[in-house]
Amino acid sequence: RISSYRDVTNQQSIEGERMITSPIAVFARRSSDIFAIEDALVAKAVRWIREHADRRLDVPTIARAVGGGRQRLERRFRRVLARTVAEEIRRARVDAARELLHTTHAGLPEVARRSGFSNAALLNVAFQRELGMPPGAYRRRVLETLRSTAAH
């Protein structure tokens, strides 16, 4: 029960009213979907990729970090997740970029760097491949949603 809060748009106190809003975006905690992976090696690799997505990554480095061979890791990723390790790296980086686009005002070069892409052009290509739109359009859509939600 919300007994009182302040309406920040017109500085009026609202007593005893309940406000329900729809989320703009839902971000699963990075650890949440790893629990659904039954293969311990794949789960460990996915966790490691997400924790290190902002770094230069390749399959041999990940395999060494989680204690599995490169080919073994690739086979198990395909069997368990139906995607390659490289696809998981791209997916983790795009997820990190999405979160930065939602939560910061950083420019695309900074978002690219902080999410593990070497430049904004590569971020753009990966974003387009994963989400069907470039990151700038994605951010504009988020801002439009925020504005329309705030107006109602």
Side-chain angles (χ1 to χ4, degrees), residues 22-41:
S22 299
I24 295 163
V26 176
F27 287 100
R29 288 191 347 231
R30 294 192 187 273
S31 60
S32 298
D33 56 346
I34 294 170
F35 291 122
I37 301 173
E38 292 184 15
D39 185 302
L41 179 67

Side-chain angles (χ1 to χ4, degrees), residues 33-50 66 73 76-77 80-81:
D33 56 346
I34 294 170
F35 291 122
I37 301 173
E38 292 184 15
D39 185 302
L41 179 67
V42 173
K44 186 176 181 180
V46 168
R47 186 177 304 109
W48 196 89
I49 289 167
R50 291 181 184 183
V66 300
L73 190 61
R76 286 173 64 174
F77 257 75
V80 173
L81 300 177

